[in-house]
Amino acid sequence: MSNPFLRKMENFTPLSEDQQRQIMDLTAAPVFFDARESVVHEGDDPTSVNIMMSGWACRQKTLPDGRRQILSLFLPGDMCDPYVFLLGRMDYAIGTLTPCTIAKVEAQSIRDMTASGPQLAEALWGQTLVTLDTQRELSISLGRRTAVERLAHLICEVLARLADVGLSNGTICDWPLTQNDLADVTGMSTVHVNRSLQELRTDGLIELRSRRLAVLDHARLAALAIFDPAYLHHRKR
Amino acid sequence: MSNPFLRKMENFTPLSEDQQRQIMDLTAAPVFFDARESVVHEGDDPTSVNIMMSGWACRQKTLPDGRRQILSLFLPGDMCDPYVFLLGRMDYAIGTLTPCTIAKVEAQSIRDMTASGPQLAEALWGQTLVTLDTQRELSISLGRRTAVERLAHLICEVLARLADVGLSNGTICDWPLTQNDLADVTGMSTVHVNRSLQELRTDGLIELRSRRLAVLDHARLAALAIFDPAYLHHRKR
DNA sequence: CGATAGGTTGAGTCGCATCAACCGGGGTGG
DNA sequence: CCACCCCGGTTGATGCGACTCAACCTATCG
């Protein structure tokens, strides 16, 4: 299996053999995590950068009274936070949703990468800008989309991102998220997630059971979600 | 008046005389905009980076059916998007809320800055990471805070950011936002913004009239908002 | 085989949206 | 200089989308 992180980097710039090896080396010795484990705590002083090699994780924040919001999903190939170590403090926790393998890259390695020339540096910048746009798209969902639209949008996004690293054909994929997780991503209650999912099902848009998702009518789903993949900035493939 | 952008950069790293001059030069010839003007359209190919020298602006997206979400506010000193030009496409529009002066910095100048050494490069990274955290905090508001909490949080944040560039004492500031703007930031309706503001007023937390805001009880306001300024990463001053 | 996590369903409630009317002030044109 | 206009703010009535609470159902796993 090819390296999903390498794949995402190449999405931004063509890489020399040497650079490819450099990146492979960084991610050579990933760490294993169980499902529902904590990877980084809020308030930690970050010294390394996490790169997802397999599994699903998320960035989240829990308010003092227990309200929880998932801020982003991490899928294979995603880099959790290039350069976080500059800030000296993690403002949000990172936790796994499924068993994961995660590469821990030291700050110095990142600095070396960017010092080695503008190409890798700009690939990192590019990734970060896409992360930003993704976060903005979530803000739009939470602020202005209805419950069903939010779910539809999330499904479209995840499917596109998985497809980008070869983990989906754009229609079918693994779906490890519980309805509770889904509620915390989309800012709604579990019960309402359940009902909204049923709406998507009875409208013939998706099929979802035993941790597998199939989109039955992608065009209609995307239209309902007002989903425009431009913000993901995926290159043709 | 000191340069607010310089001030924010110095928040991240001490700058040599030379670097200071370099930054001053970049922002020497800003462009003037009226209130409610468009600065960048969605879909534009960005060739330069915008730096706010005075006035308030915002990043926004309008869905096909007219729903509008403001994704971030730009206050003096804010850099709208370091390195956007890498993506080749603006996914969100930028528009002014008040009359503004905005410095347009060419892509090449940004590249020169970062090539000149890690210091300025990391200051830019730092700013971007803070932008990201700010966007995440908005997601939390939209996803998990109630109407009053969202408003309170926004007020706390803006006040802190203005104070950071010397435009507020942390209690009083200009407040050019209409209730309609406020609704589009906080993902609610104008009417409900009105009622929630009244709640803040009658609770003795704020005073707001004729475009001036005064916070009467910052501690209680911050507690209500569940506001923790850590995510802004302001250095002591 | 019991325990448990996740999913489903129903009833009742509430926060916030919508629609619509009205108010008040600053700017403009006659 | 006054009348008007228009934008932004305010208020009330009504409806709906989503939340809460609570019970029950189902698959998985030790």
Side-chain angles (χ1 to χ4, degrees):
Chain A
M1 178 207 70
S2 81
N3 183 317
F5 177 60
L6 181 59
R7 195 156 168 172
K8 290 199 70 175
M9 289 293 277
E10 286 185 308
N11 218 337
F12 276 95
T13 24
L15 299 176
S16 69
E17 289 258 327
D18 219 44
Q19 289 169 323
Q20 289 185 28
R21 192 163 21 250
Q22 194 179 344
I23 288 174
M24 294 292 275
D25 285 349
L26 287 182
T27 56
V31 180
F32 292 80
F33 287 88
D34 277 342
R36 312 277 156 191
E37 259 196 279
S38 168
V39 179
V40 182
H41 289 276
E42 186 184 334
D44 278 4
D45 184 359
T47 58
S48 61
V49 172
N50 295 290
I51 299 179
M52 299 291 300
M53 299 308 288
S54 76
W56 293 35
C58 71
R59 183 196 322 274
Q60 55 187 289
K61 170 123 174 181
T62 307
L63 297 181
D65 61 0
R67 281 177 278 179
R68 170 180 180 241
Q69 178 68 42
I70 292 182
L71 295 162
S72 40
L73 292 177
F74 296 121
L75 307 179
D78 288 342
M79 188 169 28
C80 292
D81 267 309
Y83 271 100
V84 244
F85 48 83
L86 286 181
L87 291 183
R89 176 178 201 283
M90 283 296 295
D91 292 308
Y92 309 101
I94 293 180
T96 62
L97 298 168
T98 70
C100 289
T101 57
I102 304 181
K104 299 262 179 190
V105 177
E106 288 306 310
Q108 194 52 51
S109 308
I110 300 287
R111 290 198 158 105
D112 291 346
M113 263 175 92
T114 61
S116 76
Q119 209 179 19
L120 289 179
E122 295 197 352
L124 289 185
W125 266 107
Q127 305 256 41
T128 305
L129 293 178
V130 172
T131 303
L132 240 168
D133 273 5
T134 305
Q135 195 65 49
R136 287 175 187 140
E137 206 59 37
L138 180 65
S139 295
I140 296 177
S141 275
L142 296 172
R144 290 306 187 198
R145 273 187 256 257
T146 66
V148 221
E149 290 170 356
R150 285 181 215 180
L151 285 175
H153 193 273
L154 181 75
I155 289 172
C156 289
E157 178 184 312
V158 167
L159 224 43
R161 286 169 58 189
L162 288 177
D164 191 49
V165 288
L167 292 173
S168 164
N169 61 3
T171 299
I172 299 176
C173 68
D174 285 331
W175 194 265
L177 301 181
T178 68
Q179 295 187 350
N180 193 17
D181 295 330
L182 232 27
D184 287 338
V185 186
T186 54
M188 39 204 272
S189 70
T190 314
V191 173
H192 201 56
V193 165
N194 182 294
R195 296 189 163 121
S196 303
L197 281 177
Q198 288 180 46
E199 199 175 325
L200 290 178
R201 278 191 273 247
T202 60
D203 284 358
L205 295 174
I206 65 166
E207 230 172 62
L208 173 58
R209 47 171 215 281
S210 53
R211 306 281 109 111
R212 289 288 293 173
L213 169 75
V215 170
L216 302 179
D217 189 336
H218 195 285
R220 266 173 61 223
L221 187 69
L224 168 63
I226 320 177
F227 174 71
D228 175 356
Y231 72 94
L232 293 171
H233 293 273
H234 290 161
R235 301 292 187 274
K236 72 292 122 216
R237 194 176 288 283
Chain B
M1 179 207 69
S2 81
N3 183 318
F5 177 61
L6 182 58
R7 195 156 168 172
K8 289 198 71 175
M9 289 293 278
E10 286 185 308
N11 217 338
F12 276 94
T13 26
L15 298 175
S16 69
E17 290 257 326
D18 219 43
Q19 289 169 323
Q20 287 185 28
R21 194 164 17 252
Q22 193 180 345
I23 288 174
M24 293 292 275
D25 286 349
L26 286 182
T27 56
V31 180
F32 292 81
F33 287 87
D34 277 343
R36 312 278 156 192
E37 260 194 279
S38 168
V39 179
V40 182
H41 290 275
E42 185 184 334
D44 279 4
D45 183 0
T47 57
S48 62
V49 171
N50 294 291
I51 299 178
M52 299 291 300
M53 299 308 289
S54 76
W56 293 34
C58 71
R59 184 195 323 272
Q60 54 187 289
K61 170 124 174 180
T62 307
L63 298 180
D65 62 359
R67 280 177 278 179
R68 171 181 179 238
Q69 179 67 43
I70 291 181
L71 295 163
S72 41
L73 292 178
F74 296 122
L75 306 178
D78 288 342
M79 187 169 28
C80 293
D81 267 310
Y83 271 99
V84 243
F85 46 84
L86 286 181
L87 292 184
R89 175 179 203 283
M90 283 295 296
D91 293 308
Y92 309 101
I94 294 181
T96 61
L97 298 168
T98 70
C100 288
T101 58
I102 303 180
K104 299 264 177 188
V105 176
E106 290 305 309
Q108 194 51 52
S109 308
I110 300 287
R111 290 198 157 105
D112 291 347
M113 263 175 91
T114 61
S116 76
Q119 208 179 20
L120 291 180
E122 295 196 353
L124 289 185
W125 267 106
Q127 305 256 39
T128 305
L129 293 177
V130 172
T131 304
L132 241 168
D133 274 4
T134 306
Q135 194 66 50
R136 287 172 186 143
E137 206 59 37
L138 180 65
S139 295
I140 296 176
S141 276
L142 296 173
R144 291 304 187 200
R145 274 187 256 257
T146 67
V148 221
E149 289 170 356
R150 286 181 214 178
L151 284 175
H153 193 273
L154 181 74
I155 289 172
C156 290
E157 178 184 312
V158 167
L159 225 43
R161 286 168 58 189
L162 288 177
D164 191 50
V165 288
L167 291 174
S168 164
N169 61 3
T171 300
I172 300 176
C173 69
D174 284 329
W175 194 265
L177 300 181
T178 67
Q179 295 187 351
N180 192 19
D181 295 330
L182 233 28
D184 288 338
V185 186
T186 54
M188 38 204 274
S189 71
T190 316
V191 172
H192 201 57
V193 165
N194 182 293
R195 295 189 165 121
S196 303
L197 281 178
Q198 287 180 45
E199 198 175 325
L200 290 178
R201 278 191 275 247
T202 61
D203 283 357
L205 295 174
I206 65 166
E207 230 171 63
L208 173 56
R209 50 172 213 280
S210 52
R211 309 279 106 113
R212 291 287 294 174
L213 169 75
V215 170
L216 302 179
D217 189 336
H218 195 285
R220 266 174 61 224
L221 187 69
L224 168 64
I226 321 174
F227 174 72
D228 175 355
Y231 72 94
L232 293 171
H233 293 273
H234 289 161
R235 302 291 187 276
K236 72 290 123 218
R237 195 176 288 285

